[in-house]
Amino acid sequence: MKVINEMRLTLTSRSANEGLARAAVATLAAQLDPTLDELGDIKTAVSEAVTNCVVHAYPDSIGRIYIMARLFEGGVIEIAVRDTGLGIPDVEKARKAMFTTGGSERSGMGFTIMESFTDSLRVRSVPGKGTTVVMRKRLALRASGVRAPEAETGNPA
């Protein structure tokens, strides 16, 4: 698949930046003309990924969160959220619903929510080095048949 646009964003792991991450990725995704439901799904998945970084990767410090989002021909968005924090000792266990290392106030549903709002979810983690979450979502083709911005020709309309 051909990449038609992309963005990279680096944020500090402050909870206030979760909204910024949502907005930035949603703004890029809007170029694919998503429905409001699709846009909501993308924003929810990004929120969960960023919140996991804030709560679990850097529980006692402020670190960096790296986000890369790419749009592909055919209406696919891929979002990678990476940290260089604590890492996850057992990814399989962490992906189970209700598992959390964040204390009793955390639901343990982050990965489950990310997975339910996207088409695919990959999690790679190395303890002591960080975690990368990669989510993909294919947006439904709209009745207009238009899904991605046309290639720029350099000719004004």
Side-chain angles (χ1 to χ4, degrees), residues 9-64:
L9 179 64
T10 302
L11 302 167
T12 56
S13 62
R14 298 180 189 282
S15 60
N17 285 334
E18 177 266 333
L20 176 57
R22 281 172 58 103
V25 174
T27 300
L28 181 72
Q31 295 175 21
L32 294 177
D33 192 26
T35 65
L36 288 176
D37 286 342
E38 289 170 331
L39 199 55
D41 291 352
I42 291 164
K43 290 164 78 173
T44 299
V46 169
S47 290
E48 291 297 328
V50 170
T51 298
N52 273 0
C53 295
V54 171
V55 172
H56 302 291
Y58 306 109
D60 300 316
S61 63
I62 299 296
R64 299 240 184 256

